[in-house]
Every structure is written in structure tokens, then in C-alpha cells.
Amino acid sequence: MKVLELYSGIGGMHYALNASGLEGHVVCAMDINTTANTVYKYNFPHTTLLPRNILSLSAKEIDNLEVNMILMSPPCQPFTRVGLKKDINDERTSSLLHILGLIPEVSDRLKYILLENVKGFETSQARNQLLSALEKANFTYQEFLLSPHQFGVPNTRHRYYLIAKRLPLNFCFEVGSLMETFPFHLSDYEDTNPLAAKIRELNLQPRSLVLKECEEKTDIINGLCYSVKHILEQDVSEQEYALTDKVLGKHGQLLDIVTPNSKRSCCFTKAYGHYIEGTGSVFCEFPLEKISEVYKQAEVYDSGNKELIDLLQSLKMRFFTPREIARLMCFPEEFNFPGEISKKQRYRLLGNSINVHVVSLLIALLTLDDDPP
């Protein structure tokens, strides 16, 4: 399988392809973000990476690459809940619209497409144009809204996904309207469906990188998330990652706090570590009972009060490190940032990236069986 990776970022799609069990390789990656390209090249030095605007790509170039599959995660800003939602009138959608115009022109060698974007894309005009382009090129498709916590990962990151394959190839399940669950029950080990068994086997692979206690593997089999303690780094610098007095004084009452035994965390965005509200969870080593006790004492103080700040500082709360966030997004341990990439840049790049595990499952589902259901 020859794969073209568009909007390649830091290589999340590449890692998902590697984890999917599919025999294939990325013949070309393309992204205009120079910082992301530095990280991508650091981790995939032997992959052809083109630092080009996707608007310059032609159908002939795609054909010359003999591509069988396209993986892409176009800019999400035109569709986010905090953005202006200008949709196709946002210039950042121009490259996606360009690709949609190319799909009907590309040779039948292109069989598979996977697209990821933010929740909200499913109601956009861009999505409607995507479906029109696929239908024009004789593709069948399925849309999803999925989050990693549905697959045992203690992180919420709802995203839109589309998988498509060119007819007469077909899916191994019945396609239909937008799905908010995976078509197979990954935790149901009594299901003898051989296709579901293959997916279930894949479903456990990323956990082996971080799980240290066997009892939590049973939780995953039963459809539960593993604990946050399994993604934590040792000896994290308090000075570098601790929440400052300013943050605690202004935002201390609004924090989403996660403990080692938590089986959840909020979506991490590119503004994590820079802005506080709605950008991701913070970590506290103390149990929930201790946290509740401190916050109950803090109720009598106004924001910015020194006594309030001192109370909250006693909890030793900190930001998650980029490595910890990468683990929550299921990047493998061999993934690394070059030394010249700053902490702020690392947070931004991770916030713009994908959950590797969810996409790996969808790639496996896309290519698992090409017979009619």
C-alpha cells in the first residue's frame, strides 16, 4: 500500500498507519508548517517530506506517486466552536477544497481515503463538498464522531472521521448515517466475528507501551479506561511545570484537576500551558478527598487572595508534560521532539495533532475486508 500523507504535521497519521497492521508505507508527506516539518523529519528521516502548500499539488503528481491511500487532517480552525466558523469562506479551507477537486481526477489506483477534523465539521459546507467529491469519484464512505475514551484511553477528544473506499470495494459492515460508536464491540470477547477479533487484537497494542499493572488490562477488555498514572513521567520538574501564583489566583477555581487514579482527562488544545480555561486538564498527585478538602476551605476567599493562592499551592498542581500528552494521544515511546523545539511549540503541535490509536483502528477498519457486507 502506497500512502500519501497530507497536512502531515508531526506524523500522527504515519504512526497510525504503522500501528494499524496494514502492510504499507508513506511514499510522500506534505505540510507547510516549518516547525511541524522539523519534528516530522526528526522522527521519519527517510520519508519524502515536501514543505509545500497543498494548493500546488496536482492530480498528475498524485498519479506519479502511484498512491493507493490518502490520509489527511485539514486545518480545523474554520469549524471549531471557538472560531468564527467561516467554513468554506475561510481561506484556510482552500487547500482542502483544492484536494476535493483533484479526487475525481486521480486514477483508480487511489482506493482509500481517511480524513480527520474537529467535531462540528459534520455540519459544514466543506463536509458537503467532501461527500459530493467522493460520490463523483465513485467512493463509498462512512462518517464517525469518536473519542479516545471509547477505546480505553483516559482522554476525551471528540473528532470527526471519514473513511472511504472506491467501489466496487466495500466495507465489512453496513454503512449509513453518522456513527458515534465503532461498528464492532471491541470489549465483547464472546463475539466470534473474525473481523471484530482482528480489530480487538489491535485494540490492545498501544496500551502495552504504558500499562504496568495487569489488573488494568482486564479493565480495558471490559471497555473501561486505564488510569492516568500509567502515562506519567518520573521526576517532573516542579519549577518548570508548576502552576504559578498568578494562574491559581485568577483561574484556580476553574481548573479541571486529574489525579493518578483518574480514568479521564479533558481535550488538550494548542493553547495548553499558555491559556488555562478549556485548554486541558492539570495534574495533582493527591487523592480527590484531599483536593475537595482544600477547595472547600478555599470557598471563603476571593480570586487573587493570598490565602487562596497559598491553599491551592499546597496541592502542588502542575501542567502535564508534552511527553505525557503525547502518551494520552497514543504516540509511541520512540516519538520525540528535537531539542530546539520549545515547550510552547510542543504543546501547540500536539494540540493540532490526532489521536494515533483511534486513527489506527479506522485504518484497519477501512482496509480490513473489501467484500460486500
Side-chain angles (χ1 to χ4, degrees), residues 185-192 200-201 203-204 220-222:
H185 296 290
L186 298 178
S187 60
D188 183 4
Y189 274 66
E190 295 182 0
D191 185 348
T192 58
R200 283 197 300 269
E201 182 180 353
N203 190 47
L204 291 176
I220 293 171
I221 290 173
N222 293 328

Side-chain angles (χ1 to χ4, degrees), residues 84-371:
L84 299 176
K85 293 188 176 181
K86 295 173 67 176
D87 203 338
I88 59 174
N89 294 318
D90 191 313
E91 64 179 15
R92 287 169 291 192
T93 62
S94 58
S95 60
L96 172 59
L97 298 180
H98 175 70
I99 292 298
L100 300 185
L102 297 182
I103 288 174
E105 300 176 8
V106 175
S107 77
D108 289 353
R109 188 183 290 111
L110 174 63
K111 304 292 186 184
Y112 306 96
I113 295 172
L114 183 149
L115 179 143
E116 182 264 8
N117 211 283
V118 71
K119 181 180 179 181
F121 183 85
E122 72 278 7
T123 60
S124 69
Q125 296 177 62
R127 174 260 189 181
N128 295 339
Q129 294 197 24
L130 167 63
L131 301 190
S132 295
L134 292 173
E135 291 166 1
K136 184 178 179 181
N138 204 29
F139 277 81
T140 182
Y141 55 84
Q142 178 62 54
E143 300 171 281
F144 297 89
L145 280 180
L146 300 171
S147 175
H149 77 270
Q150 296 173 268
F151 304 97
V153 181
N155 180 241
T156 297
R157 192 177 182 83
H158 284 101
R159 288 295 184 268
Y160 169 92
Y161 301 95
L162 176 139
I163 55 176
K165 59 174 65 176
R166 198 188 296 265
L167 294 169
L169 301 181
N170 218 319
F171 288 101
C172 56
F173 62 95
E174 186 175 351
V175 298
S177 57
L178 182 77
M179 299 177 67
E180 297 190 43
T181 59
F182 206 70
F184 300 124
H185 296 290
L186 298 178
S187 60
D188 183 4
Y189 274 66
E190 295 182 0
D191 185 348
T192 58
N193 185 323
L195 300 176
K198 290 181 181 179
I199 296 287
R200 283 197 300 269
E201 182 180 353
L202 170 69
N203 190 47
L204 291 176
Q205 288 180 4
R207 293 0 182 271
S208 64
L209 297 174
V210 292
L211 284 185
K212 302 179 182 66
E213 298 178 14
C214 293
E215 62 266 24
E216 294 223 6
K217 293 182 180 179
T218 302
D219 286 344
I220 293 171
I221 290 173
N222 293 328
L224 303 175
C225 291
Y226 57 83
S227 300
V228 166
K229 63 186 174 184
H230 295 297
I231 60 91
L232 298 176
E233 287 195 273
Q234 302 299 315
D235 303 319
V236 175
S237 168
E238 290 186 14
Q239 182 177 0
E240 184 175 4
Y241 291 99
L243 301 189
T244 64
D245 287 353
K246 181 178 179 181
V247 167
L248 292 175
K250 188 174 181 180
H251 304 283
Q253 307 283 17
L254 303 173
L255 298 171
D256 181 75
I257 304 171
V258 170
T259 71
N261 291 324
S262 296
K263 294 179 179 287
R264 50 155 293 277
S265 59
C266 288
C267 178
F268 292 91
T269 76
K270 66 179 183 180
Y272 187 70
H274 183 60
Y275 293 105
I276 305 301
E277 297 179 44
T279 62
S281 303
V282 298
F283 176 73
C284 178
E285 63 185 22
F286 295 108
L288 289 174
E289 294 77 13
K290 169 71 172 177
I291 297 170
S292 297
E293 177 186 332
V294 169
Y295 268 85
K296 188 173 181 62
Q297 297 176 41
E299 288 177 355
V300 299
Y301 299 111
D302 295 327
S303 294
N305 185 285
K306 186 179 186 305
E307 284 78 6
L308 168 69
I309 294 171
D310 289 343
L311 266 175
L312 297 184
Q313 281 291 12
S314 71
L315 293 174
K316 300 181 179 179
M317 291 183 285
R318 67 168 175 85
F319 291 109
F320 282 92
T321 69
R323 167 62 67 185
E324 290 166 343
I325 295 174
R327 287 173 175 170
L328 283 171
M329 297 177 72
C330 300
F331 278 77
E333 288 298 283
E334 62 263 28
F335 168 77
N336 275 301
F337 289 99
E340 68 266 27
I341 305 299
S342 70
K343 182 174 66 175
K344 182 177 180 180
Q345 288 173 320
R346 297 179 189 203
Y347 284 139
R348 287 184 64 85
L349 292 168
L350 286 166
N352 281 332
S353 192
I354 63 164
N355 185 280
V356 171
H357 183 51
V358 177
V359 175
S360 72
L361 290 171
L362 289 170
I363 292 174
L365 181 66
L366 172 62
T367 58
L368 191 61
D369 189 282
D370 291 324
D371 295 325

